[in-house]
Amino acid sequence: MLKDVKTRYAPSPTGYMHIGNLRTALYEYLIAKINNGKFILRIEDTDQERLVEDSVQVIFNALKLVGMNYDEGPYYQSERLDIYAPYAHELVEKGQAYYCFCSKERLEKLKEEQTEKSEFPHYDNNCRYLTKTEIEEKLREGLPYVIRQKMPTEGKTIFEDAVYGQIEVENSELEDQILLKTDGFPTYNFANVIDDHLMEITHVVRGSEYLSSTPKYNLVYQAFGWEVPTYVHLPLILNENGQKLSKRLGDKSFEDLLAEGYLVEAVINFIALLGWNPGGEREFFTLKELETNFTIEGISKSPSVFDKTKLRWMNGEYIRKMSLEEFADLAEEKISSVLGDTLDHKKISVLLQKRVELITDIPDIIRFFLELPEYTLELYNHKKMKTNPEIALESLRLALDLLKELATEDFKEEKLHELLMELAKAKELKNGQLLWPLRVALTGQEQSPGGAIELLDIFGQEESLRRIEIGIDKLVREL
Ligand code: GLU
């Protein structure tokens, strides 16, 4: 365990919780937890053109739903804007940064010229070499300025990333970056570094798209003589077409997944494994379990694929882990949306919990309870059950005779089981030859939650007999 670990989740509010951002938050949180450290929340909202009120709410809600409580914050960069300028001026005094008075027009012209020469557009360090007198004069004239960092012109910037290993860039490739804009407000990168330093962040965890700007961040720390945090860059998340996950491509946000019926716990478990290998067979982890099992060493470099089929499967497994009461509560709204208050919802829940992957699938799965769908005789053919339409007709007639005679109060699972087994035996039918046709007649479907006996119990005598008679008529007509 490391000492005094402090991580931060530093989202720029976008209005939805991107899966990649949620993973970043989760890993930040877990790295704090495994080290008994602190997790803080900082809203990076210096880009104040958009109203962020609702977007911030989205972030709070997501963290709350997951149960990732922060120990400090939320800090808002927009409320800290006065903090940054003095640091930029400090670097000017230290000779690590300079005033740049270049006008917009000049910079645009420079860009044009460079583009024409097929050069990568970059600042030409025009103001880096102004003399003290020149600078004072321009300041006196009240010319607007930005503050730029003096990047080293030779050598390399090298840093160690906890996931990607040693990263090197040639300093000559780095532009003299702007730290403070003409309005006196910091650039995004500058505010990010100053805050990480002031908030004593020890581990910076973020998407690998930031890897290429990290040398620039590093040089800011170096210019101040500050300790550089541990960088933990996370692998890309790709969709099933191999593209980077994005809302624009129709990939789902956290909120979308919840609206589709995914359980928070399943999504978190799934996301934890997007880029982290627990190093064993085990795949199921609650947030609490992750808080002790997570490891930085297990984070992988290679992109991970957001496999929706796996998420669905995992969600189903989480449904299976619920108590029947929890599941029945959760399913109730979906069940009654189709069945109103008819039939026994609790019994239907028992069947559903065994096979449903997503709560939102329930209405389609149970529609047959409300209305017998059209079906073809083909459904009565089943090799493994050794049945076909002819056998089905015989079985349904036998079952009908038996079930008609049964007292309504005996029309219960246990009794039905006993009688039908006896019937099969007496008539030398395999159980499947009796039960498969019954299940088809009751559901009109190849698949359904529950078997014939459970379904008879749920439907009750009257509706069961009605459906069996329909089945017999259909067979008689179509055979
Ligand atoms: N604000 C950045 C984002 O939302 C995060 C940058 C960082 O973690 O350093 O992507």
Side-chain angles (χ1 to χ4, degrees), residues 259-270:
E260 282 179 24
Y262 288 95
L263 301 168
V264 173
E265 295 75 11
V267 176
I268 287 304
N269 193 153
F270 176 78

Side-chain angles (χ1 to χ4, degrees), residues 392-407 411 416 419-420 423 427 434 438 456 461 464-466 468-469 472:
L393 181 57
E394 187 198 339
S395 294
L396 290 184
R397 281 179 166 151
L398 289 169
L400 185 71
D401 290 344
L402 173 82
L403 298 174
K404 250 202 303 218
E405 297 311 316
L406 201 57
F411 211 87
L416 289 164
L419 293 176
L420 287 168
L423 177 66
K427 303 292 172 187
L434 180 62
L438 264 176
L456 286 169
Q461 194 168 25
S464 295
L465 294 179
R466 191 180 76 84
I468 296 170
E469 277 164 1
I472 295 174

Side-chain angles (χ1 to χ4, degrees), residues 343 408 411 442 455-465:
L343 304 183
T408 307
F411 211 87
L442 290 171
L455 293 171
L456 286 169
D457 182 332
I458 291 174
F459 276 124
Q461 194 168 25
E462 195 184 323
E463 180 65 7
S464 295
L465 294 179

